[in-house]
Every structure is written in structure tokens, then in C-alpha cells.
Amino acid sequence: KNEVEQSPQNLTAQEGEFITINCSYSVGISALHWLQQHPGGGIVSLFMLSSGKKKHGRLIATINIQEKHSSLHITASHPRDSAVYICAASGGGADGLTFGKGTHLIIQP
Amino acid sequence: NAGVTQTPKFQVLKTGQSMTLQCAQDMNHNSMYWYRQDPGMGLRLIYYSASEGTTDKGEVPNGYNVSRLNKREFSLRLESAAPSQTSVYFCASSTALASGNSYEQYFGPGTRLTVT
């Protein structure tokens, strides 16, 4: 069973700061997912990656397969980035996801 | 496209009552999933279905049954609700096949269930 660990659990930062959230997993995976959950509960997929790096706007996700580690970065953070960020591992095919416990991010103006 | 829809949004049950949570997707996805989310535990997989007519247990299947009625719909049934099943339930779908590559999952809005 894959164990997915995220850090930090909680993060409060000032608007404009560079944010990094870390995720590690215990066994090999097919892909690593980053998800966002806003207050109110909806869950949205941000990235799915199996190697290297992906970028959408101010969000960047990287993965190091050898070290079993992924990071989510937010550049020029904004209060609207306040949310819970969740990483999840998938073993391939139709397998369900194994989730980390989430990072609660608050960006203060 | 509505994406993934779930009904109901909220439900309160008494211990021992039964109910079915409904999920439907209009993206022609092959795979569908039921997760529960509890404070401090994160999201956990209850059951999943790789195709119409097939279902498999996830991490926490006890106390639940599922039906993949057709390609669009995947329901979750609680036969005799217990307070430990108080949770937020999310349905998700993916274009993934039973084996092969991973694909992005799309989540429904969730059902908040309280069992008293």
C-alpha cells in the first residue's frame, strides 16, 4: 500500500510570496496528481505528472521519480490561492488514488 | 456538459437506516470511483469500477455496496448506516481503462452525510 505524505500541513503566507508544498510517496507510481479544494468543498485537478515538470499560469509542479518526491510551487501568491492542496498517487489503469492529508494554505493580503 | 453530478447534496440519517447516493457523469468515462473524506484522514477510496458491470473494493469498503448501472451511473448504498459513516462522499470519473496509463480524475461536488 502506498503511503503518501505531505508537508507542511498548514501554511500561512503573505501575498506575493513564493509557496512550496511537498509530497513524498513510498512505492513506485504511474502518476502523481495535485488537486485543489476550496472552502465549500469542490475538488479540482491541477496537474497529473509522471516525470519532469508542468506549469499552468503561476502554478508549477515537479516530480523526481528516483526520490519519490513531488513539489507544487505557487509564484506571486494571491489570496484567491487560499485552499487545501492535496497530492495523490495512482498506480496505473483504473486504480483509485491514494491521497495525502492535504496542505491548508492561507494567503493574507 | 454537467461533468460529474451527485445527489443528494446533504443527508441526515438515523443509525440503521439505509440510503443510496447517486452519481452520474456525462463525459463517456470508463472508470468511476467513490471516495470518502474525513477530517484528519484525507480522502480514501471506497469502491471503484473500471467498466460497466465491474466493481472492485478500495481501501475502506466495509458497510457499503455499489452498482455500476451503466456507463454513466455509479451508485453507493449504505444498507444499515452507522455513525462511523458520517463523512463527505465524493464520486469521481476518469477515462482510464482497467490497465494502462493513469488519467486525470474529475470529481463531483460531494454529498455531506450525517448519521445520528
Side-chain angles (χ1 to χ4, degrees):
Chain A
K1 179 179 177 294
N2 215 338
E3 302 290 338
V4 179
E5 300 283 343
Q6 270 185 256
S7 62
Q9 275 189 284
N10 297 285
L11 178 57
T12 299
Q14 297 298 312
E15 184 173 355
E17 287 188 38
F18 182 82
I19 303 298
T20 296
I21 299 170
N22 295 300
C23 177
S24 61
Y25 51 92
S26 58
V27 301
I29 60 172
S30 172
L32 193 287
H33 303 245
W34 283 101
L35 308 160
Q36 182 190 57
Q37 185 173 29
H38 275 288
I43 298 172
V44 174
S45 177
L46 297 174
F47 296 102
M48 187 190 74
L49 65 167
S50 54
S51 65
K53 178 177 171 177
K54 287 190 175 180
K55 184 173 189 288
H56 284 157
R58 295 180 294 105
L59 272 60
I60 303 164
T62 63
I63 188 167
N64 184 319
I65 298 294
Q66 285 73 33
E67 295 188 2
K68 297 186 178 64
H69 181 269
S70 177
S71 293
L72 177 69
H73 305 287
I74 304 174
T75 62
S77 59
H78 190 276
R80 65 176 175 266
D81 297 325
S82 298
V84 177
Y85 293 84
I86 304 167
C87 71
S90 58
D95 285 1
L97 300 179
T98 302
F99 297 85
K101 292 183 180 176
T103 294
H104 188 195
L105 175 66
I106 297 173
I107 304 296
Q108 294 179 335
Chain B
N1 286 353
V4 180
T5 57
Q6 291 183 235
T7 55
K9 286 189 165 48
F10 302 93
Q11 184 72 48
V12 179
L13 292 177
K14 291 189 181 346
T15 297
Q17 288 185 317
S18 63
M19 78 161 295
T20 300
L21 280 65
Q22 306 285 356
C23 174
Q25 52 90 11
D26 62 0
M27 295 175 282
N28 200 35
H29 282 170
N30 301 305
S31 299
M32 296 185 73
Y33 307 85
W34 278 105
Y35 298 100
R36 60 178 286 174
Q37 186 176 36
D38 303 293
M41 300 291 295
L43 285 142
R44 292 177 292 169
L45 179 66
I46 305 171
Y47 270 95
Y48 67 101
S49 168
S51 62
E52 183 181 345
T54 68
T55 61
D56 284 287
K57 294 179 181 178
E59 184 184 350
V60 288
N62 291 347
Y64 305 96
N65 286 304
V66 290
S67 294
R68 183 76 182 269
L69 305 167
N70 48 54
K71 193 170 187 180
R72 286 189 65 246
E73 296 171 293
F74 188 38
S75 62
L76 178 73
R77 182 159 178 85
L78 288 70
E79 289 291 353
S80 178
S84 60
Q85 294 178 304
T86 293
S87 189
V88 181
Y89 292 85
F90 288 95
C91 177
S93 71
S94 163
T95 194
L97 296 170
S99 60
N101 292 336
S102 295
Y103 290 88
E104 188 177 8
Q105 291 194 11
Y106 296 81
F107 287 78
T111 295
R112 188 172 294 273
L113 175 67
T114 302
V115 183
T116 61

